[in-house]
């Protein structure tokens, strides 16, 4: 904080000023002298940042989110051990790395397991800008709102509603599920790309454009990979690579 932002710790923390005056007396340079460690450095930093003590942070009663996170780790461990029960996996002295989910409570919008249920729900959605049912609805996977994709009713100065909504929701990153195309739209600044939606048929195949008409089911593994892509802030890199790999004529701002 001192090197990056020039924060005067003694000036910002009155309790630290009192400690320095108590130890150094009325010295004028009490703000520059180093005090002996009267308490652990971790406790002093927590106090400076107005954070509770560590025993309160990890108390399950006062922090239910931490308890839920630990329970999810244990569920991952239990599921992993149930899948690996062969003698090779349980060999003496052999330790396997246990894959766990991203250690954060952030998640994308919860999607129904069947695509037809989601399709019926989108038919009743209302666009907040034009107050009508979108002809080509797009679900923002960051906030759960429906917008009009590439529609003239919500376009302003050649900028589509997906791009306008991105600036107020995801900043420079937009992530939308195009309902009628059964695809994903990834936006970053003035660029973008398309991906297949995390809905697959019983054979594990995608149906971009809903041409086959087969029942589609949510693939949670693919959806989790998409969540990791958002959490790791790799959407800008992913979009840039997709643009470099294909002949892109632009026009993403109109979406």
């Amino acid at each position: 904080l001192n090197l990056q932002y020039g924060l005067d710790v003694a000036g910002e923390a009155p309790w630290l000023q009192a400690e320095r005056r108590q130890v150094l007396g009325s010295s004028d340079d009490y703000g520059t002298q180093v005090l002996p460690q009267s308490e652990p450095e971790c406790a002093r930093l927590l106090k400076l940042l107005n954070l509770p003590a560590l025993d309160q942070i990890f108390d399950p009663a006062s922090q239910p989110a931490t308890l839920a996170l630990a329970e999810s780790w244990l569920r991952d461990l239990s599921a992993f051990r149930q899948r690996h029960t062969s003698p090779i996996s349980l060999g003496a002295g052999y330790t396997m790395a246990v894959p766990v989910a991203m250690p954060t409570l952030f998640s994308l919008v919860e999607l129904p397991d069947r695509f037809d249920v989601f399709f019926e729900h989108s038919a009743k959605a209302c666009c907040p800008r034009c107050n009508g049912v979108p002809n080509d609805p797009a679900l923002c996977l960051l906030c759960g709102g429906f917008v009009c994709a590439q529609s003239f009713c919500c376009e302003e100065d050649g900028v589509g509603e997906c791009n306008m909504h991105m600036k107020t929701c995801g900043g420079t990153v937009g992530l939308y599920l195009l309902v009628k195309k059964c695809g994903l739209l990834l936006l970053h600044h003035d660029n973008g790309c398309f991906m297949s939606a995390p809905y697959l048929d019983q054979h594990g195949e995608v149906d971009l454009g809903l041409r086959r008409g087969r029942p589609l089911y949510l693939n949670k593994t693919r959806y989790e990979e998409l969540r990791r892509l958002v959490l790791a802030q790799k959407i800008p890199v992913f979009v840039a690579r997709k643009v470099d790999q294909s002949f892109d004529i632009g026009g993403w701002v109109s979406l």
Side-chain angles (χ1 to χ4, degrees), residues 44-223:
R44 299 173 69 89
L45 292 176
L46 289 173
K47 190 184 299 184
L48 176 63
L49 297 174
N50 292 325
L51 294 176
L54 288 180
D55 56 349
Q56 298 179 7
I57 293 178
F58 294 104
D59 183 16
S62 60
Q63 300 292 335
T66 305
L67 181 61
L69 186 60
E71 290 177 348
S72 67
W73 291 342
L74 294 177
R75 286 194 298 267
D76 291 339
L77 176 61
S78 177
F80 180 81
R81 289 182 173 177
Q82 290 177 4
R83 292 195 303 266
H84 298 83
T85 57
S86 63
I88 299 178
S89 300
L90 303 178
Y94 183 70
T95 304
M96 299 184 65
V98 181
V100 297
M102 291 288 284
T104 174
L105 296 177
F106 173 80
S107 61
L108 300 177
V109 175
E110 185 176 356
L111 298 176
D113 293 334
R114 292 178 58 93
F115 184 78
D116 54 354
V117 176
F118 173 67
F119 193 90
E120 293 178 1
H121 177 70
S122 65
K124 304 176 183 177
C126 180
C127 174
R129 184 174 293 271
C130 64
N131 295 323
V133 179
N135 293 326
D136 192 359
L139 173 67
C140 177
L141 296 179
L142 301 179
C143 67
F146 280 93
V147 298
C148 296
Q150 206 170 10
S151 178
F152 294 103
C153 62
C154 298
E155 183 178 308
E156 292 184 4
D157 299 329
V159 181
E161 190 179 4
C162 290
N163 282 268
M164 290 187 290
H165 179 77
M166 174 186 68
K167 297 178 180 179
T168 59
C169 180
T172 61
V173 171
L175 183 60
Y176 300 92
L177 176 58
L178 305 177
V179 181
K180 293 187 177 180
K181 297 180 177 64
C182 192
L184 294 174
L185 171 63
L186 280 67
L187 295 176
H188 177 245
H189 284 303
D190 296 337
N191 292 326
C193 67
F194 293 107
M195 286 179 57
S196 58
Y199 282 95
L200 307 177
D201 60 11
Q202 59 181 353
H203 303 291
E205 298 178 352
V206 299
D207 189 6
L208 189 62
L210 300 177
R211 298 178 180 178
R212 298 191 183 96
R214 297 174 180 173
L216 301 176
Y217 305 92
L218 179 64
N219 187 284
K220 296 183 180 180
T221 302
R222 286 200 171 195
Y223 202 43

